[in-house]
Amino acid sequence: MIYLDYSATTPVNKDVLDSFVKASLEFPGNSNSLHTLGVRCNKLIESATKQIADIFKIKETEIIYTSGSSESNNLAIKGVCMKYKNRGKHIITTHYEHSSIYGPLSYLQSEGFEVDFVDSDEFGLVDLKHLESLMREDTILVSINAINSEIGILQPIEEIGKIVKKNPKCFYHVDLTQAVSKVDINLENVDLASFSAHKFFGIKGIGGLIKKEKIVIEPLIHGGKSTTIFRSGTPAHPLIVSLAKALRLACDDMENKYNKVLELNNYLKEKLNKYDNVYINSNDKCIPYILNISIINIKPETFLHALEKYEVYISTQTACSSSNSLSKSVLDLTKDEARAKSSLRISLSYLTTKDELDKFIEIFDKCIKELTLNGKNN
């Protein structure tokens, strides 16, 4: 098997899984219980929370545990807007967000909120001057992801934060899902940030929302004691422990991991550039972990399933996107409908090897020739 879909999800690190199993079997209590087992479970959570807070350079009280980034994004966006709607109902975002951003924004529009989309430059980066011009007295939230999950565009998070902070009534939310363990993000001017364990070799079903201490949000889930008043439910201490372990391991030696992936990315681009009908959509402002390409005249689903026969796995768009044949992110970046209709995402990790890429190119070449010969096109 050649797995090149790490941006969709990562395989669980065995040490992380071992932590989960140990916490589940040796600490079977409910952390809300007053007996000894409950106290032990609560101490596990406190220890894990401290580790996570230290890595993000935030306070322990600023972490809300969720089921993952989709819940975190919904909690951040709905939570802020419903709590502070008396300040205004204007929201700003980009054309490069995840569906779990657009979903709650669409809901809020039905509740009378107004959403503006900031322009981007030829690289897909936020136009800072346009963002500044969109900011209004009644702007309550700016939500912009750190890294686009489909193309890999890395946004200037710090510069955006400085602009947002000029309006003391406005909050700044950053979706960190594709950034954690890959690049360092300064959260000084960020009010809320979402992340999910399964993107950095953790277990599915656990993630978090970083919420700065002075901010109050309206919960999505009410009732039941938890680690915070902002998200009810029995704390899943085995998952929380595993999240801390995954984060610690993933962030270890981050620079060397990045450089290895960059080398692999450059090698892969060099191999793909020889095909006349293959276009590389990811640019120099993108992280090397994601390489988005378009194969003109071959449907992306057709090519994906052709690779699948050889146990090679990549993506069309993002795993959580709707069944839409056109990539809005690629269209916005390239202004080319043909490329937007035929885009594929190859995502790498530090576990990827050059031998795997050589084998991938060999199979890629075989599939592209077979499909072109058989006329399996758009």
Side-chain angles (χ1 to χ4, degrees):
M1 180 181 76
I2 299 175
Y3 187 73
L4 298 174
D5 198 18
Y6 288 94
S7 291
T9 195
T10 54
V12 179
N13 184 301
K14 187 181 181 302
D15 290 338
V16 172
L17 189 59
D18 288 344
S19 293
F20 173 82
V21 171
K22 182 177 181 179
S24 298
L25 296 178
E26 297 182 15
F27 299 86
N30 184 325
S31 62
N32 291 331
S33 299
L34 297 179
H35 53 60
T36 304
L37 280 178
V39 172
R40 288 175 180 171
C41 292
N42 195 51
K43 286 184 177 179
L44 282 181
I45 293 176
E46 288 176 354
S47 176
T49 302
K50 185 181 186 311
Q51 292 173 41
I52 295 168
D54 288 346
I55 290 171
F56 281 118
K57 298 180 177 63
I58 57 172
K59 298 177 181 178
E60 293 164 49
T61 54
E62 295 177 334
I63 298 171
I64 301 171
Y65 293 110
T66 68
S67 60
S69 286
S70 289
E71 183 187 336
S72 296
N73 287 336
N74 272 265
L75 179 57
I77 293 169
K78 293 178 183 175
V80 160
C81 289
M82 300 312 290
K83 189 67 180 181
Y84 296 96
K85 59 185 176 182
N86 61 310
R87 293 186 180 183
K89 290 191 171 184
H90 181 235
I91 306 167
I92 299 172
T93 190
T94 79
H95 290 288
Y96 294 96
E97 304 301 315
H98 189 266
S99 57
S100 61
I101 298 292
Y102 295 136
L105 290 182
S106 178
Y107 164 77
L108 288 171
Q109 283 179 307
S110 72
E111 295 293 310
F113 286 80
E114 180 186 354
V115 178
D116 271 330
F117 290 84
V118 64
D119 290 342
S120 54
D121 64 17
E122 68 271 26
F123 298 104
L125 301 177
V126 166
D127 183 329
L128 299 178
K129 288 184 179 179
H130 187 233
L131 174 62
E132 203 151 14
S133 72
L134 287 177
M135 296 291 295
R136 307 185 325 209
E137 183 69 25
D138 64 336
T139 305
I140 189 174
L141 178 69
V142 173
S143 182
I144 295 174
N145 61 24
I147 295 171
N148 169 264
S149 61
E150 195 171 342
I151 306 171
I153 302 163
L154 173 61
Q155 296 292 349
I157 295 303
E158 291 184 50
E159 287 82 354
I160 294 169
K162 291 174 184 176
I163 293 172
V164 176
K165 289 296 116 181
K166 291 178 184 178
N167 181 348
K169 294 181 180 179
C170 184
F171 298 98
Y172 182 29
H173 168 244
V174 175
D175 183 354
L176 286 178
T177 306
Q178 296 292 345
V180 174
S181 82
K182 299 182 181 79
V183 294
D184 279 320
I185 300 291
N186 186 337
L187 298 177
E188 182 181 355
N189 290 319
V190 175
D191 297 305
L192 305 111
S194 310
F195 62 96
S196 190
H198 77 99
K199 302 294 186 179
F200 47 87
F201 305 95
I203 297 172
K204 296 177 183 68
I206 184 69
L209 175 65
I210 296 168
K211 179 196 69 65
K212 293 300 177 64
E213 201 171 39
K214 294 181 180 179
I215 301 169
V216 178
I217 58 175
E218 188 66 31
L220 296 179
I221 303 171
H222 297 84
K225 188 180 178 183
S226 188
T227 60
T228 170
I229 62 171
F230 302 109
R231 205 277 191 179
S232 297
T234 302
H237 68 272
L239 284 173
I240 292 170
V241 168
S242 73
L243 169 62
K245 185 67 167 285
L247 184 64
R248 190 170 71 251
L249 293 176
C251 291
D252 183 47
D253 202 23
M254 196 161 63
E255 185 178 352
N256 284 331
K257 290 175 182 175
Y258 184 96
N259 289 335
K260 178 190 174 183
V261 174
L262 178 60
E263 188 177 327
L264 292 170
N265 181 286
N266 288 333
Y267 180 74
L268 186 55
K269 283 191 289 191
E270 181 185 332
K271 296 294 182 181
L272 293 174
N273 273 328
K274 72 176 185 178
Y275 297 95
D276 293 334
N277 62 334
V278 174
Y279 291 83
I280 294 175
N281 300 317
S282 298
N283 55 48
D284 291 341
K285 303 300 180 181
C286 298
I287 62 167
Y289 291 84
I290 295 175
L291 183 61
N292 189 286
I293 66 171
S294 292
I295 308 176
I296 305 302
N297 294 328
I298 297 178
K299 290 181 180 179
E301 295 84 1
T302 301
F303 200 80
L304 182 148
H305 292 308
L307 291 175
E308 191 178 36
K309 292 177 183 177
Y310 298 94
E311 294 189 301
V312 175
Y313 301 98
I314 63 172
S315 290
T316 62
Q317 300 185 49
T318 65
C320 297
S321 61
S322 62
S323 54
N324 189 328
S325 61
L326 185 143
S327 164
K328 293 179 180 178
S329 294
V330 174
L331 181 62
D332 192 83
L333 180 67
T334 66
K335 309 297 187 290
D336 188 323
E337 192 168 317
R339 287 166 71 169
K341 285 182 176 179
S342 57
S343 68
L344 293 161
R345 182 185 66 182
I346 303 163
S347 45
L348 312 171
S349 89
Y350 71 93
L351 296 178
T352 307
T353 66
K354 187 171 175 291
D355 286 343
E356 284 181 317
L357 293 188
D358 285 334
K359 185 64 177 175
F360 167 72
I361 288 297
E362 180 185 326
I363 295 168
F364 182 96
D365 187 75
K366 186 182 297 185
C367 290
I368 204 168
K369 286 176 180 175
E370 287 176 355
L371 293 173
T372 303
L373 184 65
N374 294 333
K376 296 279 186 73
N377 53 41
N378 291 321

